Amino acid sequence: MIQVYLLIVTLAALRVWGAIDIPGFLILAFYLLSSIKNIKRKSVFKPFILLLILFLVVSAFTSKYFRGQDIYATLRQTSPYMMICGYFYYMDKKFSVCNLEYLIYVLTIIFDFSYILQYLLYPYGIAIFPDAETEYGTDVRLRLYGQNICSLGMMFAFNKWLLTNKKKYIFVAVTSFFVIFLWGFRTLFAASSLFLLLMYCKIKGIKSLLAFTPIFIILLILAFQIPIVQDKVMAMIERQSTNQSFGDKDYIRNLCINYYLFEHFKSGWEMFWGSGIPSGESDYSNLMDFLGRKGFHWNDMGLWGLSWIIGVPSVLLMIGYGIKASLVKMTREYFYLPYWFLFSLLTGFTTAEYIRIGNFIPQAIALALIYKLTFKEKR
């Protein structure tokens, strides 16, 4: 019963990948009001999260000071980043490690199915998830609310398969890996491949990996015969060949960096504290919309870009709990947790995956698992 309750609550918090519209402040209020006693408890990630909330509030005031944007309007837009408070909810004693791992497993299955379905229907103009984003014309690149559950679930399932050899886990791992491939982001696909290989070597050993390599190559060749795989690979190659990389001085991300470093901020203090998340019809929001139409998307620069908006202190705290989680020592059954946080951090400076809307809820679940498995036991 607890597992069903957890699943319903978390799917609602994730807005079922953006298919339903639930105000962020309601989700945040539920997490906080349900976790008052947990907030009072000592936990290793508590200082990071509470200070993050404080500095997010500060960024709303600095947005008012530097950009004239209404404080409440800015705060309303910060709620997706405050969802990390879900950590206090998931760390509750009534939720066991098994409950949370089952939650990750089921959420991943639901997400993979939902993503593939939306991917197939999108070219026909059918949007099950209104918040789905796409770009690059004929190359469909969808991003859904809370999609980092896919990478977390992939590493979880792969870890469990290496130890148990159960088919249900390898099915989820392979499906999730395929979904990440469909995202069309070279960095994420390469990093996913690398971290799966590292986990395999850590658990099975390098000799086992070498023995498996011929089979992997054959599977890779067979996969490339699938039309959708060929199309996605060719699209990645095409973007690379058209100078869409940092090596090109006219690459839009280079232009975006130059703008924010040398033109955007009114003072060094604004750069430090952030301009605030644009909201409503303020002049600042209109400016950010104009920049977006020019291709200057701050979130394309991941954590670095987010620091321009919510401030350096907030982003350092996000990096701080990520580093803490990635350095924790785990038994073989839970290698996926520090591996996933390290994966998220390393890709978080060139992609928006660490900071994407909805992605702080899977982070909260993973942090709660680490708390239950390590730091709680030490006390």
Side-chain angles (χ1 to χ4, degrees):
M1 192 64 184
I2 288 181
Q3 291 175 336
V4 175
Y5 170 75
L6 256 181
L7 180 62
I8 293 173
V9 167
T10 308
L11 278 174
L14 288 166
R15 302 177 186 178
V16 193
W17 326 124
I20 59 177
D21 184 19
I22 300 178
F25 73 89
L26 286 181
I27 300 170
L28 185 61
F30 172 81
Y31 274 146
L32 292 175
L33 293 176
S34 303
S35 312
I36 294 176
K37 66 178 184 299
N38 293 328
I39 295 174
K40 295 178 181 179
R41 294 163 59 188
K42 291 182 179 180
S43 62
V44 67
F45 299 113
K46 175 179 174 179
F48 292 100
I49 294 173
L50 293 184
L51 284 173
L52 172 58
I53 301 305
L54 172 63
F55 284 121
L56 284 171
V57 173
V58 170
S59 74
F61 284 88
T62 58
S63 183
K64 174 66 175 178
Y65 179 78
F66 290 111
R67 298 290 171 170
Q69 182 168 267
D70 180 69
I71 293 173
Y72 174 72
T74 308
L75 284 174
R76 191 171 62 246
Q77 295 301 316
T78 63
S79 62
Y81 305 97
M82 293 185 179
M83 292 301 169
I84 194 66
C85 286
Y87 163 73
F88 297 111
Y89 175 77
Y90 294 108
M91 68 180 278
D92 195 277
K93 294 179 180 179
K94 65 176 176 284
F95 303 136
S96 67
V97 169
C98 290
N99 292 151
L100 295 182
E101 287 202 316
Y102 183 77
L103 176 64
I104 292 173
Y105 177 71
V106 176
L107 285 175
T108 305
I109 294 173
I110 296 173
F111 177 86
D112 289 349
F113 173 80
S114 301
Y115 188 93
I116 293 172
L117 180 63
Q118 180 63 92
Y119 187 93
L120 295 174
L121 294 178
Y122 199 91
Y124 300 98
I126 302 175
I128 303 173
F129 306 96
D131 290 340
E133 302 174 33
T134 186
E135 60 180 335
Y136 295 110
T138 56
D139 178 25
V140 180
R141 298 175 73 191
L142 293 170
R143 283 92 77 195
L144 300 184
Y145 194 99
Q147 70 177 29
N148 65 340
I149 189 64
C150 183
S151 57
L152 174 59
M154 175 189 69
M155 293 192 186
F156 159 79
F158 191 68
N159 193 162
K160 300 302 180 183
W161 172 71
L162 290 174
L163 296 173
T164 66
N165 205 33
K166 291 183 178 179
K167 294 180 180 179
K168 66 176 184 178
Y169 290 127
I170 191 59
F171 173 77
V172 172
V174 171
T175 304
S176 298
F177 184 72
F178 178 66
V179 168
I180 292 175
F181 172 73
L182 292 180
W183 292 353
F185 294 97
R186 292 161 290 180
T187 301
L188 290 173
F189 180 65
S192 298
S193 304
L194 174 62
F195 274 83
L196 291 180
L197 286 173
L198 290 174
M199 193 183 300
Y200 190 97
C201 292
K202 183 72 173 178
I203 295 176
K204 293 289 190 177
I206 297 179
K207 290 184 179 180
S208 177
L209 177 64
L210 293 175
F212 180 74
T213 299
I215 300 175
F216 175 76
I217 293 174
I218 293 173
L219 292 175
L220 196 63
I221 293 173
L222 292 174
F224 194 71
Q225 306 309 308
I226 302 173
I228 192 173
V229 174
Q230 292 179 2
D231 293 342
K232 188 62 66 173
V233 171
M234 295 308 296
M236 292 183 186
I237 294 174
E238 181 181 352
R239 287 198 302 275
Q240 182 66 40
S241 63
T242 54
N243 291 324
Q244 291 184 354
S245 66
F246 285 100
D248 177 17
K249 66 178 182 179
D250 294 324
Y251 180 36
I252 192 63
R253 292 193 181 187
N254 287 335
L255 298 176
C256 178
I257 291 171
N258 288 332
Y259 167 76
Y260 276 101
L261 290 183
F262 303 111
E263 299 181 39
H264 178 77
F265 298 105
K266 297 181 179 180
S267 71
W269 286 112
E270 184 186 4
M271 178 181 284
F272 181 77
W273 292 111
S275 299
I277 301 175
S279 176
E281 297 297 326
S282 66
D283 291 339
Y284 169 58
S285 182
N286 292 333
L287 168 65
M288 299 302 282
D289 287 342
F290 171 74
L291 292 172
R293 290 193 294 271
K294 289 181 62 177
F296 290 7
H297 301 288
W298 57 265
N299 52 347
D300 281 347
M301 297 311 302
L303 287 160
W304 187 16
L306 184 61
S307 72
W308 303 330
I309 303 301
I310 65 173
V312 174
S314 296
V315 170
L316 287 178
L317 288 164
M318 291 179 182
I319 295 172
Y321 69 67
I323 292 175
K324 186 74 175 177
S326 64
L327 294 179
V328 69
K329 293 183 179 180
M330 287 286 181
T331 58
R332 287 155 50 96
E333 293 83 0
Y334 308 106
F335 278 165
Y336 70 93
L337 288 167
Y339 273 59
W340 181 68
F341 270 105
L342 184 58
F343 159 84
S344 300
L345 277 174
L346 292 179
T347 58
F349 289 92
T350 56
T351 73
E353 286 313 296
Y354 197 84
I355 62 170
R356 193 177 298 284
I357 301 300
N359 283 6
F360 288 92
I361 294 173
Q363 285 184 25
I365 296 171
L367 289 177
L369 266 171
I370 292 174
Y371 164 77
K372 289 176 176 292
L373 289 165
T374 56
F375 301 104
K376 180 180 179 182
E377 294 176 0
K378 290 179 182 180
R379 295 205 319 278

